[in-house]
Amino acid sequence: MSLKKTLLAGLALATVSAATAQAETTLKISHYLPAVHGLHTDFIKPWSEQVTECTNGEVQFEIFPAGTQMGHVARQQEQVMAGVVDIAHGLHGIPRGRFPRTSLIDMPFLTDDAAAASYALWELFPEYLAEEYRGLKVLALHAHNGGLLHTNKKKVETMEDMAGLRIRTPSPAVSAMLSHLGADPQGLPPGEVYESLQKGVIDGTVFPWDPVKSFGLNEVLNYHLDLGAYTVSFFYVMNQRSFDKLSAEAQACIDQYSGSDLVAKFGDWWDGWDVPGRQDAMDAGHEITELSDEERAKWREALEPMMAEYLQSVKDAGVDNAEEIYQAMQDKIAEFQAMKAE
């Protein structure tokens, strides 16, 4: 074979190899919930399949949920920042202190609506929250529906009933809320709550209904107080370097299935995810109590100093405009509610 033909053959082989390598790009996604949870079955898995289809197979995904080497709740941010995984879904409050601006959405009695909280987070991201995500491409920010207080041995109906109870907490704002209500907050990953309740290490937990079902917690719970007093926020982010390595077409596909259209789905999703947990509790004969209007007003008043202290702690951590962000969150939630009512 002539030198020219050899070079042409080599070039053709290199071109085919490059195309094949591009077609076999596999991105790793990690999250901390069981593979039976709606976040996995209704959100992350279908999202990955949509992107794969959109890219005509150029981008594939490998998902690592709870129970895998990359499924620890406290490691989601560091894994995606380091490029150990390409995309991660995690809780803003674990580990604590990494997202002080975003976590203002966790303040008590701000909203109990996943759709409203998610809308507020996404609307405020460009102006107020973006600096907390340097090195990351933010695909979605969202929150869950209002959390409940779930206990195993003691029924809680009033603030006085909270005294001394060891309650698992998901975030600094919720920890401060529980402390001011007389409880003893315990920071635990969701996956450790079942055993801690079973062994008596904690007396209860705050969760929306969906993880009660997905973590099997109704087996070790008996009482549920529908607080609607807080929400907790989550991130769905991609390593910016991983995104930048993709073709323009693949990047466009990820953008197409992320952002505002994705964020808008979480309200309906969470409403659906909450149903089985509540139904399981009812089927098991558990007591489900609504916080009375009178008691709710009492809790709100008791928590006013806590909210002022928490805002100050966020300012002390370097967020000079904490009050402005908090007010903007209230405004966006009200804006969403007004749009919903139309």
Side-chain angles (χ1 to χ4, degrees), residues 53-97:
E53 183 178 359
C54 179
T55 63
N56 294 315
E58 177 185 331
V59 178
Q60 305 285 333
F61 294 91
E62 188 175 3
I63 303 174
F64 297 87
T68 66
Q69 70 268 35
M70 301 187 195
H72 194 286
V73 63
R75 298 185 186 136
Q76 296 310 308
Q77 186 212 22
E78 63 190 42
Q79 287 176 167
V80 72
M81 286 291 292
V84 175
V85 297
D86 302 288
I87 298 171
H89 180 274
L91 268 169
H92 283 112
I94 301 178
R96 62 187 298 155

Side-chain angles (χ1 to χ4, degrees), residues 24 38 42 52 90 130 175 177 185 224 226 300 302:
E24 294 176 354
D42 299 338
T52 294
S175 295
M177 178 187 80
H224 312 269
D226 196 345
R300 275 182 175 274

